[in-house]
Amino acid sequence: SDLVRPGMSLLLDDSSSGLALLRAVADRVPLTIATHSQVTAREVEAHPALELFVAGGAYRRATESFYGPATTAAIRALHADVAFMSVTAIRGGTVYHPYEEVAEVKRAMLEAAELRVLLADHSKFGRHALHVIGPVSQFDVVVVDAETADAHLAPFRDAGVRVLTAQS
């Protein structure tokens, strides 16, 4: 990804996409990684040249990550160069998540970064969930896979969001 350069601070959510991105860019040191994910934090620990900030709070064992008011407050106090996140569902011009506290963390991440990147494979499109994270226009870049239908990307293009296709 040309979105990550040495010296940057990256804000990563607890998605498997974020973890894959971290593994792909971990050698572009120095980097500072901020996250609410215990899994991501452990991965950063394995790379001594990476700096780590963990936004703690109420721990959710199922996702091995932190949520709640303490977590969102910690994230809101940051200003990262780039935030990378995934979402469960994207329909039309809106992104969604089934859990309220997860949607809260993702909204905080969007506010806390200079460049906002959505990582989404084709399975996320055409679905919705209970909690709105926000409009696709909140993102600067969306990274999709080759199977993503062009029709799903129209709302992003209309909003001026840069569309990138990940090389599998």
Side-chain angles (χ1 to χ4, degrees), residues 37-67:
S37 162
Q38 195 75 353
V39 178
T40 300
R42 280 198 295 270
E43 183 76 23
V44 172
E45 237 184 320
H47 299 273
L50 299 178
E51 294 289 324
L52 173 65
F53 176 86
V54 178
Y59 188 64
R60 180 192 271 218
R61 283 179 181 79
T63 55
E64 294 187 73
S65 45
F66 299 96
Y67 288 100

Side-chain angles (χ1 to χ4, degrees), residues 82-129:
V82 193
F84 290 94
M85 76 177 74
S86 187
V87 296
T88 307
I90 306 161
R91 182 186 284 178
T94 307
V95 293
Y96 302 87
H97 200 281
Y99 300 115
E100 184 178 26
E101 69 270 29
V102 179
E104 283 286 324
V105 162
K106 292 182 192 290
R107 283 195 293 268
M109 286 180 65
L110 287 166
E111 291 166 26
E114 197 68 33
L115 186 76
R116 298 162 302 252
V117 181
L118 177 61
L119 307 170
D121 67 42
H122 65 281
S123 70
K124 314 287 186 186
F125 290 88
R127 300 165 53 178
H128 73 281

Side-chain angles (χ1 to χ4, degrees), residues 3-83:
L3 302 171
V4 178
R5 296 182 306 281
M8 282 186 154
S9 54
L10 313 182
L11 184 51
L12 302 179
D13 70 358
D14 59 351
S15 65
S16 54
S17 309
L19 198 56
L21 177 116
L22 173 62
R23 288 173 179 154
V25 303
D27 58 345
R28 299 185 194 177
V29 293
L31 288 173
T32 301
I33 309 299
T35 187
H36 65 112
S37 162
Q38 195 75 353
V39 178
T40 300
R42 280 198 295 270
E43 183 76 23
V44 172
E45 237 184 320
H47 299 273
L50 299 178
E51 294 289 324
L52 173 65
F53 176 86
V54 178
Y59 188 64
R60 180 192 271 218
R61 283 179 181 79
T63 55
E64 294 187 73
S65 45
F66 299 96
Y67 288 100
T71 310
T72 51
I75 292 170
R76 285 203 179 97
L78 303 175
H79 191 79
D81 292 311
V82 193

